[in-house]
Amino acid sequence: MKISSINNAKVVYWAKLKMKKYRDIEHLFIVENEHLVEEAIKKGIVIEIITTDKYESSYPTYEVTPEIMKRISSLIAPPKVMAVCKHIVPSDISGNVLLLDRIQDPGNLGTIIRSAVAFGFKTIIVSNDTVDYYNDKVIRSSEGMLFNINIIRSNLLDMIELLRSKEYSILGTDVREGYDLRNLKKEKLAIIIGNEGQGMNIDLQHVCDGFINIPMSKNCESLNAAVAASIIMYEVFHE
Amino acid sequence: MKISSINNAKVVYWAKLKMKKYRDIEHLFIVENEHLVEEAIKKGIVIEIITTDKYESSYPTYEVTPEIMKRISSLIAPPKVMAVCKHIVPSDISGNVLLLDRIQDPGNLGTIIRSAVAFGFKTIIVSNDTVDYYNDKVIRSSEGMLFNINIIRSNLLDMIELLRSKEYSILGTDVREGYDLRNLKKEKLAIIIGNEGQGMNIDLQHVCDGFINIPMSKNCESLNAAVAASIIMYEVFHE
């Protein structure tokens, strides 16, 4: 199907998906660029394709003008192909778990997702006030790894209770003292990463079984949240 | 001194410093927010202060309107105080060295600088085509750590020759094979981190003494550049 009017109802509808509000209402999101479209197809969540070119697939495909693509895209340089995707249905908790408390920066969330897949974590639980993981910057900085891990949005305290019933160890992070992360066990770990500016919520600190400390120079107060999360996950993964 | 006109020559001059071109010509840059202004004062590079409030200091201080602040600021929510600073004069190479080959994302560069200070690296050498480290996003994501490390902008091949004459080991990174980073020596290390999309330049690969590999799951092709750099520096720092 071809669409040439920028005011076409479909175009207006797609463009709205740039906003979290509409992604939540419609349970949809958009991925941009061929690589991410392919990943989304593999994941089985694509409902339609939008392209300025030809694109071979078994999905309904809309050929649009570059002007329309620009209207829908979140990128400065709009891609040749996008896919409209259904929200991914979370599955049950499995493997090692990362809990994210109010991560605000989309780049940080995407980077954490990418590292979590790299280091074999199976589940990420994000607090309700963490940035939307269907945000285009999150998807981009995750390099599509969003499709390779189970992400659950929930109240963290409830989930910690559930994790505890499943015999997980609940570990927070502390910039000044705590367990050396070289001595972490390798399984049934649930690690909490706190907000970029304020760290972990006090209520969460109270329910931790212990805290992990990353040794660092006194010249630096703290690490970037995505870096801290990645170093801990790396240590869990490394033999 | 008070400035109330948005067209005042000083205001126009300061606003231009948002652009790399003018920062390079004037050898100046701007830091925003009280914390960074304090860090810049400690470093001795401040030449004047701009504020919408009062600000006690021994530097020439300009009181401006919120409208003017908004014109000069790179932030959505302009700060109450900024400092115009001189470029930092690089010092000689010392300690462990990180070489950055065409890092493009300001957030990545800032995060790498922050981690380098955290993990005791003394020198960062950035390629001429790496993003400007006086970019406001770099300064912000470095959390002011830019002031706590020696940063040199140069041709990397020239610097590698110099490092080799000083008996440094030149190590690249490789996503699939290489030394386990647990076995790295702790001194005289020069580690190269490549561009976010393309990795290390081929010319640089040829002059490496070896490559470091970060073990990771086959489900993920690579790590974010700032994460990879941070994990390596963490391993060098950790006993």
Side-chain angles (χ1 to χ4, degrees):
Chain A
M1 288 152 279
K2 287 200 183 190
I3 299 179
S4 54
S5 162
I6 198 155
N7 298 316
N8 179 291
K10 272 277 191 193
V11 175
V12 174
Y13 178 79
W14 289 328
K16 277 188 176 173
L17 295 176
K18 279 192 267 195
M19 285 178 276
K20 176 178 186 303
K21 183 182 160 187
Y22 290 100
R23 290 195 295 268
D24 285 350
I25 293 171
E26 302 294 337
H27 288 267
L28 294 176
F29 68 107
I30 285 181
V31 298
E32 308 197 30
N33 275 326
E34 201 156 349
H35 168 67
L36 289 176
V37 170
E38 281 166 17
E39 293 289 324
I41 288 174
K42 273 191 233 163
K43 184 80 182 175
I45 55 173
V46 169
I47 61 164
E48 53 199 15
I49 303 279
I50 308 165
T51 179
T52 51
D53 235 323
K54 300 274 168 201
Y55 192 86
E56 290 297 323
S57 82
S58 56
Y59 299 93
T61 300
Y62 296 86
E63 283 174 39
V64 303
T65 63
E67 189 195 9
I68 291 175
M69 207 60 159
K70 199 175 163 73
R71 171 107 169 76
I72 308 166
S73 174
S74 304
L75 299 171
I76 296 164
K80 285 186 181 161
V81 59
M82 293 177 173
V84 181
C85 305
K86 291 180 288 192
H87 277 190
I88 303 162
V89 180
S91 50
D92 288 347
I93 289 170
S94 68
N96 286 325
V97 177
L98 200 65
L99 297 112
L100 304 179
D101 178 28
R102 294 167 298 142
I103 292 294
Q104 291 307 299
D105 182 85
N108 279 344
L109 179 55
T111 301
I112 290 173
I113 292 169
R114 183 176 176 186
S115 292
V117 174
F119 299 130
F121 273 56
K122 298 285 182 229
T123 307
I124 296 178
I125 304 174
V126 301
S127 65
N128 289 316
D129 44 7
T130 284
V131 61
D132 184 24
Y133 53 90
Y134 293 120
N135 172 307
D136 65 289
K137 283 188 200 134
V138 175
I139 299 172
R140 252 193 333 275
S141 53
S142 86
E143 290 278 336
M145 290 302 117
L146 185 77
F147 303 128
N148 294 341
I149 192 163
N150 181 31
I151 307 181
I152 301 168
R153 180 175 292 277
S154 182
N155 177 295
L156 295 191
L157 285 170
D158 293 347
M159 294 308 274
I160 288 170
E161 206 168 310
L162 178 66
L163 286 161
R164 205 182 292 287
S165 76
K166 291 173 184 288
E167 296 177 341
Y168 274 82
S169 300
I170 318 296
L171 296 178
T173 44
D174 190 300
V175 289
R176 284 297 156 224
E177 51 184 10
Y179 300 128
D180 183 332
L181 65 176
R182 284 278 163 82
N183 304 325
L184 290 179
K185 58 180 197 170
K186 302 291 185 189
E187 286 177 351
K188 291 258 178 189
L189 275 177
I191 293 161
I192 308 173
I193 302 294
N195 170 270
E196 289 93 345
Q198 290 134 37
M200 257 196 315
N201 190 307
I202 188 92
D203 294 344
L204 294 173
Q205 288 178 34
H206 287 151
V207 294
C208 284
D209 297 320
F211 297 90
I212 305 168
N213 168 253
I214 302 175
M216 70 179 95
S217 154
K218 288 193 176 62
N219 297 330
C220 189
E221 277 176 30
S222 64
L223 294 166
N224 165 280
V227 165
S230 300
I231 289 175
I232 295 169
M233 294 189 289
Y234 154 78
E235 279 285 10
V236 172
F237 181 81
H238 202 307
E239 300 286 300
Chain B
M1 288 153 280
K2 287 199 181 186
I3 300 179
S4 54
S5 164
I6 199 157
N7 298 316
N8 179 291
K10 272 278 192 192
V11 175
V12 174
Y13 178 78
W14 289 327
K16 277 187 175 174
L17 296 176
K18 279 192 268 196
M19 286 178 276
K20 178 178 186 301
K21 182 181 160 189
Y22 290 99
R23 291 194 295 268
D24 285 351
I25 293 171
E26 303 294 338
H27 289 267
L28 294 176
F29 68 106
I30 285 182
V31 298
E32 308 198 29
N33 276 325
E34 202 157 350
H35 168 67
L36 289 176
V37 170
E38 282 166 18
E39 294 289 325
I41 289 174
K42 273 191 232 161
K43 185 80 182 173
I45 54 172
V46 170
I47 60 163
E48 51 198 16
I49 303 279
I50 308 164
T51 179
T52 50
D53 235 321
K54 299 278 171 200
Y55 192 86
E56 290 296 323
S57 82
S58 56
Y59 298 93
T61 300
Y62 296 86
E63 284 173 38
V64 303
T65 63
E67 190 196 9
I68 290 175
M69 207 60 159
K70 198 175 163 73
R71 173 106 169 75
I72 308 165
S73 175
S74 304
L75 300 170
I76 296 164
K80 286 185 178 160
V81 60
M82 292 177 172
V84 181
C85 305
K86 290 180 289 192
H87 277 190
I88 302 161
V89 181
S91 49
D92 288 347
I93 290 170
S94 68
N96 286 325
V97 176
L98 200 65
L99 296 111
L100 304 180
D101 178 28
R102 294 165 298 142
I103 293 294
Q104 291 307 301
D105 182 85
N108 280 345
L109 179 55
T111 301
I112 290 172
I113 293 169
R114 184 177 176 185
S115 291
V117 175
F119 298 130
F121 274 55
K122 299 284 183 228
T123 308
I124 296 178
I125 303 174
V126 300
S127 65
N128 289 315
D129 44 6
T130 285
V131 60
D132 183 24
Y133 52 91
Y134 295 121
N135 173 307
D136 64 288
K137 283 187 202 137
V138 175
I139 299 173
R140 252 192 336 274
S141 53
S142 87
E143 290 277 336
M145 291 302 116
L146 184 77
F147 303 126
N148 294 340
I149 192 162
N150 181 31
I151 307 181
I152 301 168
R153 180 175 292 277
S154 182
N155 176 294
L156 295 191
L157 285 170
D158 292 347
M159 293 309 274
I160 287 170
E161 207 168 308
L162 179 64
L163 286 161
R164 205 183 291 288
S165 75
K166 292 174 182 285
E167 298 177 338
Y168 275 82
S169 301
I170 318 296
L171 297 178
T173 44
D174 190 301
V175 289
R176 285 295 155 226
E177 52 184 9
Y179 301 129
D180 183 333
L181 66 177
R182 284 279 163 79
N183 304 325
L184 290 178
K185 58 180 198 171
K186 303 291 187 188
E187 287 176 350
K188 292 258 179 188
L189 275 177
I191 293 160
I192 308 173
I193 302 294
N195 172 269
E196 289 94 344
Q198 291 133 36
M200 258 195 316
N201 190 305
I202 189 93
D203 293 344
L204 293 173
Q205 288 178 33
H206 288 150
V207 295
C208 284
D209 298 319
F211 297 89
I212 305 168
N213 168 254
I214 301 174
M216 70 180 93
S217 154
K218 289 195 175 61
N219 296 331
C220 190
E221 277 176 29
S222 64
L223 294 166
N224 165 281
V227 165
S230 300
I231 289 174
I232 295 169
M233 294 189 289
Y234 154 78
E235 279 286 11
V236 173
F237 181 81
H238 201 308
E239 301 285 303

